[in-house]
Amino acid sequence: MSAPERIPPRSVTSVDLLAEGELTVRGRIREASNAALFCTVAYEGQEASCVYKPVAGERPLWDFPDGTLAEREVAAYEVSEATGWGLVPPTVLRDGPHGEGMVQLWIEATPDAELLALVDGEEPGPGWKTIGFAEVGEGRTALLVHADDERLRRMAVLDAVINNADRKGGHLLPTGAGRLYGIDHGVTFNAENKLRTLLWGWAGEPLTAEAVDVLKGLQSALGTSGALAERLGGLITAVELDATRARVDELLESGRHPQPSGEWPAIPWPPV
């Protein structure tokens, strides 16, 4: 008699783990403006740390519909995945101990003093890009700069596409493996121009050839029959989806990084 066929174990992805695993709350992240819970999630012998933001813990905002921030976080992940850059940690929308919410893989960040800095003088040094002047106390100002870094430049393009209204320095998580992730994407995808970020160093400069290719891919994926458009359609409104398409079109038409509009504060506060 022949031996029974052995079925290899199914490979569990990070998204599988987050979406299907048992979620256990371990504590609260007190620095967050909305309810953010530190959790572990376990599934089929695998376990990971994650962040769970229940919709019930979202604070109302005047310029975003109530109860939509978790969906916007997932939408930002979907766009990041469509770029191929992997700039947003795996993120899902699911039920949890406090109701439906966003669950995102926890990223253990490694402090990186080479991404943001305050310097004296009016011009950045080699390898740095100007953000603007900042008050540092006792009537003194210093030049706030960010690194001329390919990872940050990709993040700037992603933020322009998703219309990120809150790209603070603390939302940038470099890892020991050299990766860079962005988190806290609840205030994104507004139909009005809300781009507010620290990553203005390339404002008005030509997009890289890589960015143009990525944007062309997004343009196709956001078409009426595109897979990305279908996924985003369940997370943001039709008007917001159309505005996302328009932002991609505008970036491709101009071929340049956007510049501050002057209609909205360009830099988030506090910046870090």
Side-chain angles (χ1 to χ4, degrees), residues 109 112 115-117 131 144-146 152 155 159 164 166-174 180-184 196-199 267-272:
D112 190 339
L115 291 181
L116 297 167
I131 302 169
L144 182 61
V145 297
H146 67 67
L152 290 179
M155 192 76 72
D159 284 344
N164 192 352
D166 195 30
R167 176 59 74 203
K168 293 185 173 81
H171 298 168
L172 298 168
L173 304 182
L180 179 70
Y181 292 96
I183 60 169
D184 286 347
R196 187 166 60 172
T197 175
L198 284 180
L199 305 180
I267 297 175
W269 187 262
V272 178

Side-chain angles (χ1 to χ4, degrees), residues 113-119 124-132 143-153 156 169 172 197-203 205 257:
E114 300 302 317
L115 291 181
L116 297 167
L118 284 167
V119 299
W128 295 94
K129 307 291 285 187
T130 297
I131 302 169
L143 191 64
L144 182 61
V145 297
H146 67 67
D148 189 1
D149 185 297
E150 177 186 73
R151 299 169 300 169
L152 290 179
R153 192 163 191 172
L172 298 168
T197 175
L198 284 180
L199 305 180
W200 286 117
W202 298 280
E205 292 187 15
H257 287 268

Side-chain angles (χ1 to χ4, degrees), residues 19 24 35 41 47 62-63 125-126 180 184 188 204 218 227 235 240 248 254 262:
T24 303
V41 62
E47 183 173 298
W62 68 269
D63 51 349
L180 179 70
D184 286 347
T188 50
L218 286 180
L235 298 167
E240 290 166 341
V248 172
S254 71

Side-chain angles (χ1 to χ4, degrees), residues 63-264:
D63 51 349
F64 286 84
D66 292 351
T68 66
L69 305 191
E71 293 171 317
R72 295 171 193 278
E73 295 241 32
V74 179
Y77 167 70
E78 293 288 355
V79 174
S80 168
E81 286 300 283
T83 66
W85 288 334
L87 296 171
V88 179
T91 312
V92 303
L93 190 70
R94 59 164 288 180
D95 194 36
H98 300 285
E100 185 178 64
M102 179 279 284
V103 178
Q104 184 174 82
L105 190 68
W106 178 267
I107 300 298
E108 199 63 48
T110 301
D112 190 339
E114 300 302 317
L115 291 181
L116 297 167
L118 284 167
V119 299
D120 293 325
E122 297 186 356
E123 296 293 335
W128 295 94
K129 307 291 285 187
T130 297
I131 302 169
F133 287 96
E135 292 187 10
V136 293
E138 300 180 353
R140 294 179 56 247
T141 61
L143 191 64
L144 182 61
V145 297
H146 67 67
D148 189 1
D149 185 297
E150 177 186 73
R151 299 169 300 169
L152 290 179
R153 192 163 191 172
R154 289 172 172 174
M155 192 76 72
V157 174
L158 175 67
D159 284 344
V161 171
I162 67 176
N163 198 15
N164 192 352
D166 195 30
R167 176 59 74 203
K168 293 185 173 81
H171 298 168
L172 298 168
L173 304 182
T175 73
R179 294 285 299 275
L180 179 70
Y181 292 96
I183 60 169
D184 286 347
H185 297 107
V187 286
T188 50
F189 295 100
N190 200 298
E192 298 180 9
N193 183 3
K194 299 280 187 181
L195 185 58
R196 187 166 60 172
T197 175
L198 284 180
L199 305 180
W200 286 117
W202 298 280
E205 292 187 15
L207 296 165
T208 64
E210 178 197 45
V212 170
D213 287 342
V214 165
L215 289 167
K216 287 178 179 177
L218 286 180
Q219 190 177 52
S220 177
L222 287 167
T224 53
S225 60
L228 179 59
E230 182 176 351
R231 291 194 294 274
L232 293 184
L235 298 167
I236 59 177
T237 69
V239 172
E240 290 166 341
L241 181 54
D242 284 342
T244 303
R245 293 186 179 108
R247 288 192 294 273
V248 172
D249 292 345
E250 288 166 7
L251 286 166
L252 285 170
E253 184 178 350
S254 71
R256 295 180 178 274
H257 287 268
Q259 301 188 69
S261 68
E263 300 173 356
W264 178 256

